[in-house]
Amino acid sequence: MKNSFFQFSFWNTAFRPFFWFGSVYGTLILGLWLFVLSNIIANPIQINSIYWHSYEMVFGFTKAIVLGFLFTAVQNWTNTTILKGENLFYLVMFWLLGRFSFYSFGIFGYLSFGFDICSDILVIYLLLPKLIVPTQKHNRPILYHYVVFTVFHILSTLSAYSILYSEHTLLYIHLSIFVVLFLILIIGGRVVPFFSGVVIQGYTFKRMPKLETLLVYLPFLFYFTKLIQGYFGNTNWGSIPFFHKRDFQIFILVSSIVCFLLFVANTIRYLSWKPWKSYKKPILWILYFGYFWVCIGFLLYSLSGINLFPVSSAIHSLTVGGLGVFIYGMITRVSLGHTGRSIVASPLTVFAYVLLNLSVLIRVILPLFHQFKYAYYISGIGWMICFLLFLIQYSKILFSKRPDGKLS
């Protein structure tokens, strides 16, 4: 009985359970957040509710989807099976048990955090031997970024528990958002041009190796400058010898400049892919829209660093826009392509693509006119509808065998 359970198609590849559980969780947790926000239910969380919302959308929803991408991509790159069956089940369970870290469950809350971190350590353990070999040198930055993600995960939780300085919780969560963005940009940089070449007749694009190298390593400078900015943001300057407030202002400026460079570099890359050629293929243009939001998000976030744009709207252009739209495009495409089905978006899926992009616009723009509640509720409900539509259409696909009989 035990062996037959792990032989279900659902456990054949990492994207199946992680896409499904991630989508369910991303729908439920946002609904719970909206109920808490509107005071329909009492806040069940023992930390700042904004910290909790941000934490769970990053380390709950986004992490699940990214793990589905990551193991699917690395298995294809290395032509090996890294995770399936029983081991995949255990990793999913570690992630799932880690979703209760901040509820008022006493010692179980701390155990839940332990499970969550164990899932990160297990990911590193599984990826390390596959990516450390000489033939995978160009893919090693993925491992480096995931290690950084794990460190920020630990720091954000310890800060939320007030074991470390609690005011730094959002700093670590925001940095984790950028790590995930950079992971997706690395993977997206490989797959989006490839997908374009498959579906667009005569498609070509100019490869820019130096730009690709810059996009891999520039993020580490960004992490450093943001950490310095966050650590010294509320410092008593008279207590730090040889360090003055003007030095801190320089770090803010450098951080904004690095973020602006990320905007420029990613925009050059984006335009080199000729996104306008995808307009006839919704399953493709949704990925380009996601990447567009990443580029715009870097620009807005660079402006927010020097108080020229609201931080919340800038962050949500990167999360709901960059992460949400790109993720939605990838989970719909991968769920079709890697289960041997025709890679064509249904009318209902195209409707979800449009609705999700409208949700991004609402969440980013309405707060500029002080319409905060409308921004939260309308964009949140739009998000939930989109992922419910995904579950309605793709659950059977994710749980079923491939039509061609292959095991994947």
Side-chain angles (χ1 to χ4, degrees):
M1 183 69 179
K2 178 182 176 182
N3 290 336
S4 62
F5 173 75
F6 294 125
Q7 289 173 0
F8 285 144
S9 299
F10 191 64
W11 302 111
N12 281 342
T13 47
F15 74 85
R16 290 174 179 262
F18 277 119
F19 286 5
W20 192 83
F21 279 109
S23 297
V24 170
Y25 190 71
T27 306
L28 293 177
I29 205 67
L30 196 61
L32 180 58
W33 163 243
L34 292 179
F35 280 132
V36 170
L37 198 63
S38 58
N39 295 315
I40 294 175
I41 63 172
N43 185 2
I45 312 303
Q46 58 182 345
I47 65 168
N48 181 301
S49 61
I50 294 176
Y51 294 172
W52 166 75
H53 164 65
S54 304
Y55 181 96
E56 287 303 326
M57 291 306 292
V58 176
F59 301 111
F61 163 74
T62 305
K63 174 181 163 181
I65 303 296
V66 167
L67 290 182
F69 292 157
L70 200 53
F71 282 103
T72 302
V74 173
Q75 287 185 172
N76 285 339
W77 295 337
T78 60
N79 198 28
T80 59
T81 299
I82 303 172
L83 188 65
K84 66 179 296 184
E86 193 169 354
N87 289 337
L88 175 56
F89 171 80
Y90 290 140
L91 182 58
V92 172
M93 288 302 104
F94 280 164
W95 168 83
L96 192 60
L97 290 170
R99 306 280 50 84
F100 305 97
S101 299
F102 300 117
Y103 294 87
S104 302
F105 293 155
I107 189 65
F108 184 72
Y110 295 102
L111 288 174
S112 178
F113 167 56
F115 281 119
D116 215 12
I117 297 303
C118 281
S119 69
D120 286 332
I121 294 171
L122 182 55
V123 169
I124 295 169
Y125 172 78
L126 291 168
L127 292 178
L128 182 64
K130 301 298 181 181
L131 297 181
I132 205 67
V133 297
T135 56
Q136 293 298 317
K137 186 177 179 179
H138 60 296
N139 289 323
R140 285 180 199 166
I142 290 174
L143 181 63
Y144 304 153
H145 280 291
Y146 201 89
V147 170
V148 173
F149 177 79
T150 302
V151 171
F152 288 147
H153 187 182
I154 295 170
L155 291 174
S156 64
T157 309
L158 295 178
S159 299
Y161 280 134
S162 295
I163 296 171
L164 298 177
Y165 185 46
S166 62
E167 294 299 316
H168 286 158
T169 305
L170 214 52
L171 166 67
Y172 297 129
I173 294 173
H174 283 182
L175 281 166
S176 301
I177 290 169
F178 282 99
V179 178
V180 175
L181 276 167
F182 296 134
L183 277 172
I184 285 181
L185 290 177
I186 291 172
I187 296 173
R190 314 277 177 82
V191 301
V192 173
F194 171 75
F195 292 160
S196 299
V198 170
V199 300
I200 301 174
Q201 188 174 5
Y203 176 83
T204 59
F205 74 101
K206 183 180 179 181
R207 299 184 183 276
M208 294 176 280
K210 291 183 179 179
L211 181 68
E212 295 298 324
T213 302
L214 179 68
L215 287 171
V216 167
Y217 293 104
L218 189 59
F220 292 100
L221 177 60
F222 177 77
Y223 301 150
F224 174 73
T225 57
K226 287 301 295 181
L227 279 171
I228 296 295
Q229 181 183 338
Y231 279 139
F232 293 108
N234 299 309
T235 298
N236 177 9
W237 299 98
S239 65
I240 305 178
F242 312 113
F243 199 84
H244 302 282
K245 191 169 184 177
R246 65 175 179 272
D247 301 312
F248 171 68
Q249 304 283 349
I250 292 171
F251 272 107
I252 293 178
L253 182 60
V254 171
S255 178
S256 294
I257 290 172
V258 172
C259 198
F260 184 77
L261 288 175
L262 286 166
F263 157 68
V264 172
N266 278 286
T267 301
I268 292 171
R269 182 199 217 189
Y270 174 72
L271 293 175
S272 76
W273 291 344
K274 305 172 184 175
W276 53 88
K277 291 196 171 185
S278 67
Y279 75 97
K280 291 183 179 180
K281 304 288 183 180
I283 202 83
L284 184 58
W285 62 242
I286 186 62
L287 299 177
Y288 283 111
F289 264 100
Y291 208 106
F292 166 81
W293 282 115
V294 172
C295 296
I296 293 298
F298 281 137
L299 173 62
L300 298 181
Y301 196 76
S302 69
L303 295 176
S304 73
I306 51 177
N307 298 318
L308 294 178
F309 196 83
V311 175
S312 179
S313 286
I315 280 289
H316 282 86
S317 67
L318 288 165
T319 53
V320 185
L323 289 176
V325 174
F326 196 87
I327 278 173
Y328 204 87
M330 285 295 288
I331 62 177
T332 52
R333 184 186 177 90
V334 170
S335 297
L336 294 172
H338 283 264
T339 59
R341 291 167 172 84
S342 177
I343 308 175
V344 177
S346 69
L348 208 54
T349 298
V350 176
F351 169 76
Y353 290 166
V354 174
L355 179 59
L356 190 55
N357 278 284
L358 289 174
S359 298
V360 183
L361 282 172
I362 290 167
R363 181 60 187 85
V364 172
I365 292 175
L366 286 190
L368 303 181
F369 300 95
H370 306 288
Q371 300 298 322
F372 298 102
K373 285 191 175 181
Y374 286 117
Y376 302 152
Y377 297 136
I378 297 174
S379 64
I381 291 169
W383 172 282
M384 292 169 64
I385 291 171
C386 290
F387 280 91
L388 281 172
L389 290 176
F390 173 79
L391 290 167
I392 290 168
Q393 293 185 94
Y394 288 85
S395 288
K396 184 177 179 181
I397 292 171
L398 294 173
F399 280 85
S400 302
K401 294 180 179 180
R402 289 177 60 118
D404 56 14
K406 293 181 180 179
L407 296 176
S408 70

